[in-house]
Amino acid sequence: MTNRQILSPTTPYEVAVEKFLDDIAATKTQNAYRTGATVLREFLAEQIDGPLTLTAISDSDLLLNFWRWLRKRKPSGRWQKDSRRLSDQTIQSYLAAAIAFLSFLNEEDALPDSFSIDKARGRLRRARRETKAPYPTRRPDPRLPAVVLHYDLRDLPQPSTVRGREVRLRFLRDRALVHTLSSPAGRISEVAQLNRNDVGDGLAESAIVVGKGSKPRTLFFTPEARAAIRAYLKERADSERALFVGHSRKSKSKLSAATLWRVVKEAARAEGLRDIHPHDFRHARASQMLSEGARLEEVQEILGHADISTTRKIYAAFSRAAVKEAFDTYRLSPEEALKKAESEGKA
């Protein structure tokens, strides 16, 4: 049996990060925390010459200064390279990772005595509260439906060579992809995990996937999405289980979420849209349903939010509109209320 490694303020930063990540079972959470810890390292490295150890975490203003630094930082991630700054959701993700890492180090007694995790969190909380920034909601480009229709309005390639066959299959795949992504308001990681048996050769109206927090949830498919999936699978001759695969001599394996999004970006650029995000289809579907009168509880279920308060915060504007409509529809004037009471024998 190996001894548990003892951490201290002199422990190299990267060693501490790996120990922190070892205790996290969920792969997605581990990846998110690794990214956040890497960004925190960049912030700390700007202030210190030489090897980075946990002694760099000495100021209880660390989280506050890290937050301010993130708000000024230019994006470099593949999802946001067209934006002018980090999204608020990304900043929140990095902060959550940093807080989790610092809390772990605190429990391990590996932080310098000059640092207080409680003070650090409190100072960050006060500063963020004072900004009174509304919950960040990205508004999708109203032309986003053009991306979904991009392949529907183009002629299907007619193959005459092996190369032409590959082009046709990619066209059918890409058309099925944009419909499948926009159809259920799914996360791109959820769409990427779909297999052929999940969609029943394009006949299934829904599929169960593992969503955020490793929780199962249902993706619903529109008739247009099912038709596109059927057309794609009908012409596939491979035995790969995945729904979306590569169609070239080099690769016929399952496509990653990053590759799937690159396909969508290419269609978007062809339609003149450049600043789009993986969540845009998700936001567009939810916003459209709320605008058409869907109840918040229904949208919560479709989005896979564990708590309806999350749905309400993100789509607060639509929630307020729905409440106002209910107020105008169901309220009674004093005269109407009295007349109703008299008719029911209560007055």
Side-chain angles (χ1 to χ4, degrees), residues 322-338 340:
V323 171
K324 178 64 167 59
E325 183 177 351
F327 175 78
D328 291 338
T329 301
Y330 300 112
R331 67 180 176 87
L332 296 177
S333 67
E335 294 83 358
E336 292 170 330
L338 181 58
K340 181 179 181 182

Coordinates of all heavy atoms in Angstrom, one line a residue, residues 322-338 340:
A322 N -43.7 35.8 -19.6 CA -44.8 34.8 -19.4 C -45.6 35.1 -18.1 O -46.8 35.0 -18.1 CB -44.1 33.4 -19.2
V323 N -44.9 35.6 -17.1 CA -45.6 36.0 -15.8 C -46.5 37.2 -16.1 O -47.7 37.2 -15.6 CB -44.6 36.3 -14.7 CG1 -45.3 36.9 -13.5 CG2 -43.9 35.0 -14.3
K324 N -46.0 38.1 -16.9 CA -46.8 39.3 -17.2 C -48.1 38.9 -18.0 O -49.2 39.4 -17.8 CB -46.0 40.3 -18.0 CG -46.7 41.6 -18.5 CD -47.2 42.4 -17.3 CE -47.7 43.8 -17.7 NZ -48.7 43.8 -18.7
E325 N -47.9 38.0 -19.0 CA -49.0 37.5 -19.8 C -50.1 36.8 -18.9 O -51.3 37.0 -19.1 CB -48.5 36.6 -20.9 CG -49.7 36.1 -21.8 CD -49.1 35.3 -22.9 OE1 -47.9 35.1 -23.1 OE2 -50.0 34.7 -23.6
A326 N -49.6 36.0 -17.9 CA -50.5 35.3 -17.0 C -51.2 36.4 -16.2 O -52.4 36.2 -15.9 CB -49.7 34.4 -16.2
F327 N -50.5 37.4 -15.7 CA -51.1 38.4 -14.9 C -52.2 39.1 -15.7 O -53.3 39.4 -15.2 CB -50.1 39.4 -14.5 CG -50.6 40.6 -13.7 CD1 -51.0 40.5 -12.4 CD2 -50.8 41.8 -14.4 CE1 -51.5 41.6 -11.7 CE2 -51.3 43.0 -13.7 CZ -51.6 42.8 -12.4
D328 N -52.0 39.5 -16.9 CA -53.0 40.2 -17.8 C -54.1 39.3 -18.1 O -55.3 39.7 -18.2 CB -52.3 40.7 -19.0 CG -51.3 41.8 -18.8 OD1 -51.4 42.5 -17.7 OD2 -50.4 42.0 -19.6
T329 N -53.9 38.0 -18.3 CA -54.9 37.1 -18.7 C -55.9 36.7 -17.6 O -57.1 36.6 -17.8 CB -54.3 35.8 -19.3 OG1 -53.4 36.2 -20.4 CG2 -55.3 34.8 -19.8
Y330 N -55.3 36.4 -16.4 CA -56.1 35.8 -15.4 C -56.6 36.7 -14.3 O -57.3 36.4 -13.4 CB -55.3 34.6 -14.7 CG -55.0 33.5 -15.7 CD1 -53.7 33.3 -16.1 CD2 -56.0 32.8 -16.3 CE1 -53.3 32.4 -17.0 CE2 -55.7 31.8 -17.3 CZ -54.4 31.6 -17.6 OH -54.0 30.6 -18.5
R331 N -56.2 38.0 -14.3 CA -56.6 38.9 -13.2 C -58.1 39.3 -13.5 O -58.5 39.4 -14.6 CB -55.7 40.1 -13.2 CG -55.8 41.0 -14.4 CD -54.8 42.2 -14.3 NE -54.8 43.0 -15.5 CZ -55.7 44.0 -15.7 NH1 -56.6 44.3 -14.8 NH2 -55.6 44.7 -16.8
L332 N -58.7 39.7 -12.4 CA -60.1 40.2 -12.5 C -60.2 41.6 -11.9 O -59.5 41.9 -10.9 CB -61.0 39.3 -11.7 CG -61.2 37.8 -12.2 CD1 -62.1 37.1 -11.2 CD2 -61.8 37.8 -13.6
S333 N -61.0 42.4 -12.5 CA -61.2 43.7 -12.0 C -62.0 43.6 -10.7 O -62.7 42.6 -10.5 CB -61.9 44.6 -13.0 OG -63.2 44.1 -13.2
P334 N -62.1 44.6 -9.8 CA -62.9 44.5 -8.6 C -64.4 44.2 -9.0 O -65.0 43.4 -8.3 CB -62.8 45.9 -8.0 CG -61.4 46.4 -8.5 CD -61.3 45.9 -9.8
E335 N -64.9 44.8 -10.1 CA -66.3 44.6 -10.5 C -66.5 43.1 -10.9 O -67.5 42.5 -10.5 CB -66.7 45.5 -11.6 CG -66.7 47.0 -11.3 CD -65.4 47.6 -11.3 OE1 -64.3 46.9 -11.6 OE2 -65.3 48.8 -11.1
E336 N -65.5 42.6 -11.6 CA -65.6 41.2 -12.1 C -65.5 40.2 -10.9 O -66.2 39.2 -10.8 CB -64.5 40.9 -13.1 CG -64.7 41.6 -14.4 CD -63.5 41.5 -15.3 OE1 -62.3 41.4 -14.8 OE2 -63.6 41.5 -16.6
A337 N -64.6 40.5 -10.0 CA -64.4 39.7 -8.8 C -65.7 39.6 -7.9 O -66.1 38.6 -7.4 CB -63.2 40.2 -8.0
L338 N -66.3 40.8 -7.8 CA -67.5 40.9 -7.0 C -68.7 40.1 -7.6 O -69.4 39.4 -7.0 CB -67.9 42.3 -6.7 CG -69.2 42.6 -5.9 CD1 -69.1 41.9 -4.5 CD2 -69.5 44.1 -5.8
K340 N -68.4 37.7 -9.7 CA -68.1 36.2 -9.6 C -68.5 35.7 -8.3 O -69.1 34.6 -8.1 CB -66.7 35.9 -10.0 CG -66.3 34.4 -9.9 CD -64.8 34.2 -10.2 CE -64.6 32.7 -10.2 NZ -63.1 32.4 -10.5

